């Protein structure tokens, strides 16, 4: 009974890295499915931690962009003017380029950002080259979906 029972117990009550890996996979699929359902090809959710914002989740962004994505609350306060969608194109993209790798910024024509909050914590959904025109009419639905997405542990 000894070792075999222990292995069966561990397999039934997954702990440690295995449990975390399974949870991560289910989160990844949910985020991916939501992004695909919205016809989004490149996006990220910025979350605050220790007075900085980091990409909590991303889709279609390269490693250089993910590593460049650290920003401050003052940065976001300076560019976000509205609690609804904030649109950037042309010259207004310039301050946002610091968040992207050189390769990624060469392919950016526009950026749309939607701020949202959960438990008094700020988040920003950033979408590159958004094509879906329904976004404006679905702000509250998007915020609700986004809050559900971020509640899943990373």
């Amino acid at each position: 009974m000894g070792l075999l029972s222990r292995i069966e117990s561990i397999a039934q009550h997954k702990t440690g890295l295995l449990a975390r890996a399974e949870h991560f996979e289910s989160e990844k699929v949910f985020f991916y499915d939501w992004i695909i359902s919205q016809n989004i090809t490149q996006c990220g959710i910025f979350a605050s931690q220790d007075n900085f914002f980091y990409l909590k989740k991303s889709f279609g962004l390269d490693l250089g962009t993910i590593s460049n994505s650290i920003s401050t609350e003052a940065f976001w306060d300076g560019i976000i003017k509205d609690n609804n969608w904030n649109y950037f194109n042309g010259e207004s993209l310039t301050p946002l380029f610091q968040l992207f790798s050189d390769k990624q910024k060469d392919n950016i024509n526009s950026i749309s950002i939607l701020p949202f909050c959960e438990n008094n914590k700020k988040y920003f959904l950033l979408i590159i080259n958004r094509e879906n025109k329904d976004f404006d009419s679905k702000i509250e639905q998007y915020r609700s979906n986004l809050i559900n997405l971020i509640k899943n542990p990373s």
Side-chain angles (χ1 to χ4, degrees):
M1 196 153 138
L3 183 58
L4 184 54
S5 296
R6 178 135 170 83
I7 291 170
E8 287 174 349
S9 174
I10 290 171
Q12 290 174 351
H13 307 285
K14 294 174 181 125
T15 59
L17 189 56
L18 182 57
R20 287 175 58 197
E22 280 189 354
H23 190 74
F24 177 75
E25 284 303 312
S26 67
E27 172 193 344
K28 182 177 178 185
V29 171
F30 182 66
F31 181 65
Y32 174 82
D33 287 346
W34 186 79
I35 295 304
I36 295 300
S37 75
Q38 302 305 312
N39 297 319
I40 298 170
T41 57
Q42 297 172 312
C43 70
I45 296 176
F46 286 83
S48 64
Q49 183 175 350
D50 301 326
N51 297 319
F52 288 94
F53 281 84
Y54 303 88
L55 273 172
K56 180 173 178 70
K57 298 181 184 285
S58 65
F59 179 79
L61 303 179
D62 63 25
L63 184 58
T65 294
I66 293 169
S67 62
N68 284 347
S69 68
I70 299 169
S71 52
T72 64
E73 188 166 355
F75 168 78
W76 291 101
D77 288 345
I79 62 167
I80 300 301
K81 305 297 183 201
D82 193 323
N83 199 31
N84 295 311
W85 284 104
N86 291 258
Y87 302 106
F88 303 87
N89 58 32
E91 291 297 315
S92 68
L93 287 168
T94 303
L96 292 163
F97 281 153
Q98 71 181 352
L99 301 173
F100 301 96
S101 70
D102 290 337
K103 180 180 176 186
Q104 195 103 49
K105 48 178 128 161
D106 287 343
N107 298 309
I108 297 174
N109 297 316
S110 67
I111 293 176
S112 304
I113 300 173
L114 179 65
F116 62 103
C117 292
E118 170 65 8
N119 294 330
N120 295 321
K121 187 173 179 182
K122 290 183 183 179
Y123 296 89
F124 299 97
L125 170 65
L126 181 147
I127 302 174
I128 299 171
N129 302 333
R130 182 180 86 167
E131 293 181 18
N132 187 337
K133 304 300 181 202
D134 278 351
F135 284 1
D136 289 336
S137 63
K138 298 180 180 178
I139 287 178
E140 291 312 313
Q141 179 184 353
Y142 273 72
R143 285 193 175 119
S144 175
N145 288 335
L146 291 165
I147 288 167
N148 287 330
L149 286 170
I150 61 164
K151 284 183 178 178
N152 293 326
S154 297

